[in-house]
């Protein structure tokens, strides 16, 4: 038993309240080392009457470690606990301070979850688990009101550049809501809609006004109301890490220098403001002079931005915020941001843009979720690039699941491309088989899937600006078969609660393998997904408990023989099977 690999700590993703009555415990061990693990738990004030051994299950693994998990529903919402580790006939007890061969005589030196205080429970909005998001880049989605066009507007459908305009606006979104409803979308994430000088609007000039090329606050209100009538939630982009160069306080600093009342609103290293050898004399997003970094630690800056966050929820009725460059803003600002937003709308969704392990932002005091780019990387590596095998993919997903508490994984924002990346079809070099298999995993995995506008009709494009093409509205130029496929994926996800909140378990993911099988289970709702990433037909033989199955894509019936489910899939084939109980 390799005790050096065993790890637990009483916080974060290792020991947390899943809800107001349930505590989840996790423990890490060397992969394949332990054969059984138990949590030894009870109430510290009634130890002898409440102590019990709770079996832990192997809930996920990565390349190096196994992760064991159990849940406890303590009568008085507090828990004292240790662990019993077993490797065949070898038994070791783990306390907070050491490992020992004998059961501890008392609970004093065990780990402790002192109390489930309701205010400390991390509770993301429940509706997000069931949502299907769609990302819209407003300038390129649809031109619904030509009277708002910029002076230099180009004909719709031209080649995008970093600087050109095609006249997309909010009215254009309103005009095409039928498209989203037909697809099955229940949430829209808009990149910025506030006044700015660029086509992407990440250089905010006025946080309290809709960009006049998009419409005005009344137009946005009509859009939000129209979405709500269709059961679609609306998420706006909050660019609070930085402003634009034309933001009034920054203009004041440019004009008045050290005499400006706003000089402390920004991180200025030297006056006058200028750019020397490509680097501004003030902190900015990625050295971009157009985007000076805001000093969110200053009380007046904090107050202004928090008023912005509150205003658009209260007055327009948006359902949450996506937070741009969220990891570069101080943590205390986001704590106050959460308090303000949740006070106005407790069900608002707070989504951070972070491209790496985001555990420090998912402790219940800042964000509800993050844009799940580690998920994106794993899916692309396996389904699109083929740089990892099935085992490597399972390890990547396992590591991701181990990092966060369950409630964070259930509402993670799972995307495969965006305005910041090449489009999925381009990454797949036009291979729609690979695109479909990647999307299948996205829609049958834990978390909230998001489609980047146009992916559902076969749009392609390299990285910025190629990924920001005008939406194609000519039906003759749309891939309607692909649209139908996405629509079917959404319908399948909506029909099975197990695909949204059920347990996740790999059934087959072998070394050097191209076959992937996994199970989602929630009570009697049991779904098994089989995916063949080879161009050659392959046969799956999966150990399952249930006897009768149905292929939800074809309606075919299947039956297990001697506890195994045998299914032959063609090259790049897949099957979604539901148990008939």
């Amino acid at each position: 038993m390799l005790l050096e690999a065993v790890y637990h700590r009483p916080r974060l993703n290792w020991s947390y309240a899943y809800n107001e009555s349930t505590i989840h415990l996790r423990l890490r061990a060397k992969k394949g080392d332990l054969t059984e693990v138990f949590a030894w738990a009870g109430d510290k004030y009634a130890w002898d009457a409440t102590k019990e051994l709770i079996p832990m299950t192997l809930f996920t693994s990565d390349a190096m470690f196994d992760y064991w998990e159990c849940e406890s529903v303590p009568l008085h919402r507090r828990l004292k606990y240790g662990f019993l580790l077993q490797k065949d006939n070898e038994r070791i007890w783990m306390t907070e301070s050491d490992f020992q061969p004998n059961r501890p005589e008392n609970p004093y030196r065990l780990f402790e979850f002192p109390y489930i205080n309701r205010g400390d429970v991390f509770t993301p909005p429940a509706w997000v688990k069931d949502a299907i998001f769609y990302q819209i880049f407003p300038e390129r989605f649809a031109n619904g009101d030509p009277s708002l066009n910029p002076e230099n507007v180009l004909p719709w459908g031209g080649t995008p550049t970093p600087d050109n305009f095609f006249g997309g606006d909010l009215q254009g979104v309103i005009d095409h809501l039928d498209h989203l409803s037909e697809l099955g979308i229940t949430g829209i994430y808009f990149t910025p809609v506030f006044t700015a000088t660029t086509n992407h609007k990440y250089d905010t000039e006025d946080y309290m006004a809709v960009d006049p090329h998009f419409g005005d606050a009344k137009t946005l209100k009509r859009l939000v109301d129209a979405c709500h009538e269709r059961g679609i939630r609306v998420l706006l982009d909050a660019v609070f890490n930085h402003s634009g160069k034309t933001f009034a306080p920054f203009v004041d600093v440019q004009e008045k220098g050290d005499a400006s009342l706003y000089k402390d609103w920004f991180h200025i290293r030297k006056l006058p403001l200028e750019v020397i050898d490509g680097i501004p004399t003030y902190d900015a997003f990625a050295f971009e002079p157009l985007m000076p970094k805001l000093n969110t630690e200053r009380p007046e800056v904090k107050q202004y931005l928090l008023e912005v966050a509150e205003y658009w929820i209260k007055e327009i009725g948006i359902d949450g915020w996506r937070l741009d460059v969220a990891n570069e803003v101080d943590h205390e600002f986001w704590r106050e941001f959460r308090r303000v937003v949740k006070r106005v709308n407790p069900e608002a969704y707070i989504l951070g843009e972070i491209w790496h392990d985001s555990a420090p932002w998912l402790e219940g005091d800042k964000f509800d979720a993050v844009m799940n780019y580690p998920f994106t990387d794993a899916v692309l590596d396996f389904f699109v690039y083929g740089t990892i095998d099935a085992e490597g993919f399972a390890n990547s997903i396992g590591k991701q699941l181990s990092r966060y508490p369950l409630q964070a994984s259930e509402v993670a924002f799972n995307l495969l491309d965006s305005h910041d990346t090449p489009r999925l079809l381009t990454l797949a070099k036009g291979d729609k088989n690979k695109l479909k298999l990647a999307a299948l995993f996205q829609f049958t995995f834990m978390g909230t899937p998001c489609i980047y506008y146009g992916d559902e009709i076969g749009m392609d494009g390299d990285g910025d600006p190629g990924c920001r093409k005008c939406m194609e509205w000519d039906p003759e130029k749309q891939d309607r078969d692909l649209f139908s496929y996405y629509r079917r994926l959404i319908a399948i996800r909506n029909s099975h609660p197990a695909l949204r909140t059920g347990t996740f378990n790999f059934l087959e993911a072998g070394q050097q393998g191209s076959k992937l099988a996994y199970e989602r289970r929630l009570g009697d709702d049991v779904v098994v997904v089989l995916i063949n990433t080879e161009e050659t037909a392959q046969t799956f033989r999966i150990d399952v408990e249930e006897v009768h199955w149905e292929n939800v894509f074809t309606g075919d019936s299947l039956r297990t023989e001697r506890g195994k489910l045998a299914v032959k899939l063609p090259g790049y084939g897949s099957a979604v099977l539901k148990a008939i109980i």
Side-chain angles (χ1 to χ4, degrees), residues 380-396:
L380 295 178
D381 286 346
F382 179 59
F383 292 101
V384 176
Y385 306 140
T387 54
I388 58 175
D389 58 15
E391 182 183 51
F393 177 67
N395 288 336
S396 295

Side-chain angles (χ1 to χ4, degrees), residues 28 33 52 91 100 165 181 197 199 251 256 265 272 289 303 305 325 371 397 420 460 469 472 476 481 532 536 551 575:
R28 189 195 74 187
D33 192 34
E52 62 175 328
R91 293 160 60 96
Q100 54 190 68
F165 293 85
S181 293
T197 65
N199 54 37
V251 172
K256 300 177 183 177
W265 279 48
Q303 180 181 351
L305 294 176
V325 201
M371 300 182 77
I397 293 297
D420 285 324
D460 60 6
K469 291 180 181 178
E472 180 57 70
E476 297 297 319
D481 289 337
N532 174 18
T536 303
N551 187 322

Side-chain angles (χ1 to χ4, degrees), residues 280-343:
T281 57
Y282 49 91
D283 289 351
F285 170 68
F287 301 121
E288 173 50 64
L290 290 177
M291 300 178 182
K293 182 174 174 59
L294 290 161
N295 186 357
T296 50
E297 296 181 35
R298 294 291 301 181
E300 59 270 32
V301 177
K302 184 180 298 185
Q303 180 181 351
Y304 172 78
L305 294 176
L306 295 180
E307 287 175 356
V308 170
E310 181 180 47
Y311 174 83
W312 295 102
I313 294 178
K314 182 181 291 185
E315 300 301 324
I316 303 300
I318 67 169
D319 301 286
W321 290 102
R322 180 265 192 185
L323 311 172
D324 189 56
V325 201
N327 57 338
E328 296 185 21
V329 177
D330 65 279
H331 286 259
E332 186 55 34
F333 175 84
W334 291 133
R335 292 187 183 98
E336 293 196 35
F337 177 90
R338 183 179 184 87
R339 286 191 286 268
V340 167
V341 167
K342 295 293 185 176
R343 185 170 60 243

